[in-house]
Amino acid sequence: MAVKPLPTPLRAIDVMLDAPVIPVIVLNDVAHAVPLARALVAGGIRMLEVTLRTPQALACIEAIAREVPEAVAGAGTLRSAADAQAAFNAGARFGVSPGYTSALGQACRDLQLPLLPGVATGSEIMAAMADGLTELKFFPALQAGGTAMLKAWYGPFGDIRFCPTGGVSPANAADFLALPNVACVGGSWLTPADAVAAGDWGRIEALAREASQLKRG
């Protein structure tokens, strides 16, 4: 099957619509980065959020960007302009953050780095909208109200597209994806820590393939 080419420059909505799930990846060993990325791509998932939660994260992004051209390496847990710059320098092509500040938004605009900023309240949505952002991460999704909150937001924020992340699993992903204001979901279940540690790339490919077949509303 031919791989759909990505637009240049890449936009946040392109990241969200490429597949139903963006994997939230925590890597502790650079040696795992490339085979993990290849397994996810083989399963139909190429937008890869590598979280900046470990000392090896930037090196992992750099390795994926250099050695797996079919993947689109992104950086999660961006909290500052310095994080955005470091991620960009490592080869990240999009960023994801747990919250939002105008300083982070400006840094990503300056770098032309698409950003999915985390929001959990109406005021945070409006702050992101004021800076021109309309594709947002709903985080932590389950703890902040889940599908009920997204349904409530659809009235006043019907023009915003969300990527719910945090507590999303195979058990509830379809419920989120059925909503008209959800473009995709983020989840860590595609890359279980035990599978990564064991190098069980076949299991991860299978999980990615299942996730890539999830239907949107």
Side-chain angles (χ1 to χ4, degrees):
M1 184 175 66
V3 177
K4 178 183 175 183
L6 292 167
T8 303
L10 191 65
R11 304 167 300 166
I13 192 63
D14 302 319
V15 174
M16 295 174 86
L17 293 180
D18 199 64
V21 183
I22 296 174
V24 180
I25 303 166
V26 179
L27 284 167
N28 293 290
D29 188 339
V30 177
H32 291 152
V34 169
L36 173 67
R38 287 176 175 156
L40 290 166
V41 169
I45 303 289
R46 60 177 171 173
M47 298 292 168
L48 313 182
E49 178 192 340
V50 179
T51 61
L52 301 189
R53 300 180 189 176
T54 69
Q56 297 80 16
L58 289 170
C60 290
I61 292 170
E62 186 174 0
I64 293 169
R66 181 179 63 248
E67 298 187 41
V68 193
E70 320 92 271
V72 180
T77 325
L78 299 184
R79 301 188 302 175
S80 65
D83 284 345
Q85 185 69 63
F88 179 81
N89 291 347
R93 294 182 62 194
F94 68 93
V96 185
S97 60
Y100 181 69
T101 66
S102 289
L104 177 60
Q106 185 61 55
C108 289
R109 281 192 296 278
D110 291 343
L111 293 166
Q112 294 190 324
L113 186 70
L115 175 66
L116 296 178
V119 298
T121 69
S123 295
E124 291 167 345
I125 294 171
M126 291 169 66
M129 290 176 65
D131 287 343
L133 297 168
T134 55
E135 289 82 35
L136 310 176
K137 167 183 168 180
F138 176 34
F139 177 80
L142 207 61
Q143 297 85 344
T147 56
M149 181 65 83
L150 287 163
K151 289 174 184 177
W153 277 345
Y154 188 61
F157 302 119
D159 54 340
I160 303 298
R161 303 295 294 276
F162 293 97
C163 173
T165 306
V168 181
S169 70
N172 60 19
D175 295 333
F176 281 102
L177 288 166
L179 300 177
N181 53 347
V182 170
C184 66
V185 298
S188 58
W189 81 87
L190 277 69
T191 56
D194 59 338
V196 175
D200 191 350
W201 312 125
R203 179 182 169 197
I204 288 172
E205 180 181 339
L207 289 168
R209 184 167 288 109
E210 291 173 5
S212 70
Q213 298 303 311
L214 287 168
K215 302 300 182 184
R216 297 181 174 98

